[in-house]
């Protein structure tokens, strides 16, 4: 759905979607030691809504909003062995490993955040000096998700986080030169961007953290 609002001062796009997956691949662990590999979940689905909104608040001020809501689920019975539970059992204990398999029906799909958002307030004006000044205040939210289809509460649940970014720019009208000043993750938020649990025996989990607070200056010159 696409619509213009307030005499063209605002625009909204709304899209709804639903996907049915057959034989969705994932990285699996085998009851036989060191025999893991790619396996296929017979049936799963994902549905959601995406919303885009742009509003011209004044001659200089614009609001951009992007939202996404996602729901995902394994919809068929399928037995999966979680290496976090199985890694302690070695050769000769394959029967024990086999008995640890769990049905993942109803679990969330991997790396599918339930909610994401990107909101930006953009201010643009021409200064008396003839320079173009732009300021952008941005908020980015990444919702919680499960890093694997096993949905193991000990290692798979990745928390949500929100980031606040700020950019101020000066640019000559003929685009000869410009300077940008950025503050990224202005509130120095802690968060996990992604994680990976080793499926080849040791069950260790590595975390990729979001960058800390950063200050950047960029000067550009066009010849």
């Amino acid at each position: 759905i696409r619509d213009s609002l307030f005499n063209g001062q605002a625009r909204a796009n709304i899209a709804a979607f639903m996907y049915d997956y057959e034989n969705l691949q994932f990285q699996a662990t085998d009851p036989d030691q060191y025999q893991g590999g790619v396996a296929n979940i017979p049936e799963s689905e994902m549905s959601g809504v995406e919303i885009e909104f742009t509003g011209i608040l004044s001659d200089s001020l614009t609001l951009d909003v992007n939202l996404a809501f996602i729901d995902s689920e394994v919809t068929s019975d399928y037995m999966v062995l979680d290496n976090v539970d199985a890694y302690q059992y070695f050769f000769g204990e394959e029967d024990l490993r086999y008995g640890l398999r769990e049905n993942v029906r109803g679990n969330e799909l991997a790396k599918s955040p339930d909610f994401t958002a990107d909101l930006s307030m953009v201010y643009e004006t021409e200064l008396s000096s003839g320079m173009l000044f732009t300021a952008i205040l941005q908020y980015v939210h990444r919702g919680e998700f499960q890093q694997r289809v096993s949905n193991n509460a000990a290692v798979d649940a990745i928390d949500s986080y929100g980031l606040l970014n700020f950019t101020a720019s000066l640019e000559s009208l003929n685009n000869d030169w410009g300077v940008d000043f950025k503050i990224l993750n202005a509130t120095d938020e802690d968060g996990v961007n992604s994680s990976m649990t080793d499926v080849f025996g040791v069950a260790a989990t590595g975390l990729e953290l979001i960058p800390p607070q950063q200050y950047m200056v960029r000067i550009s010159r066009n010849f």
Side-chain angles (χ1 to χ4, degrees):
I1 300 174
R2 177 177 298 175
D3 197 7
S4 295
L5 309 169
F6 306 108
N7 296 319
Q9 295 295 102
R11 184 179 69 251
N13 298 323
I14 301 175
F17 60 89
M18 182 173 181
Y19 299 110
D20 285 319
Y21 297 105
E22 292 184 1
N23 297 319
L24 184 67
Q25 292 185 336
F26 76 106
Q27 194 71 39
T29 299
D30 196 87
D32 290 330
Q33 193 78 324
Y34 304 113
Q35 296 296 313
V38 175
N40 301 83
I41 299 172
E43 296 178 2
S44 55
E45 65 181 27
M46 178 183 294
S47 59
V49 176
E50 295 179 344
I51 301 172
E52 298 177 353
F53 174 84
T54 298
I56 301 174
L57 305 183
S58 70
D59 291 340
S60 302
L61 196 61
T62 302
L63 173 65
D64 289 317
V65 177
N66 294 279
L67 307 174
F69 305 85
I70 293 178
D71 181 65
S72 65
E73 183 180 1
V74 177
T75 54
S76 61
D77 292 318
Y78 192 68
M79 304 299 291
V80 171
L81 177 61
D82 185 350
N83 66 304
V84 175
D85 299 326
Y87 81 99
Q88 59 186 308
Y89 300 103
F90 298 97
F91 296 109
E93 299 178 305
E94 288 80 6
D95 288 344
L96 293 175
R97 290 167 59 86
Y98 189 85
L100 294 173
R101 296 180 309 149
E102 295 181 343
N103 193 343
V104 295
R105 184 185 182 109
N107 285 9
E108 294 181 24
L109 297 181
K111 297 178 173 61
S112 302
D114 56 354
F115 173 63
T116 57
D118 187 333
L119 293 79
S120 296
M121 190 76 74
V122 182
Y123 177 79
E124 293 181 301
T125 188
E126 184 179 337
L127 303 178
S128 58
S129 62
M131 301 291 293
L132 179 64
F133 174 74
T134 303
I136 303 174
L137 182 63
Q138 179 190 39
Y139 175 75
V140 178
H141 178 87
R142 204 286 319 280
E144 62 185 10
F145 67 87
Q146 299 289 327
Q147 69 132 329
R148 299 178 308 155
V149 74
S150 293
N151 288 193
N152 187 318
V155 297
D156 291 333
I158 307 300
D159 291 335
S160 63
Y161 64 75
L163 298 179
L164 195 63
N165 302 318
F166 175 74
T167 301
S169 304
L170 282 174
E171 183 180 334
S172 61
L173 291 180
N174 57 9
N175 201 29
D176 282 348
W177 69 277
V179 59
D180 300 321
F181 174 71
K182 296 176 179 286
I183 304 176
L184 304 180
N185 192 2
T187 58
D188 202 20
E189 180 79 9
D190 293 329
V192 175
N193 187 45
S194 66
S195 67
M196 174 66 181
T197 296
D198 182 11
V199 296
F200 298 110
V202 298
T205 298
L207 300 178
E208 178 188 298
L209 305 180
I210 63 174
Q213 186 182 74
Q214 300 176 80
Y215 296 87
M216 298 182 182
V217 176
R218 182 180 65 179
I219 300 174
S220 59
R221 180 75 167 90
N222 295 323
F223 298 94

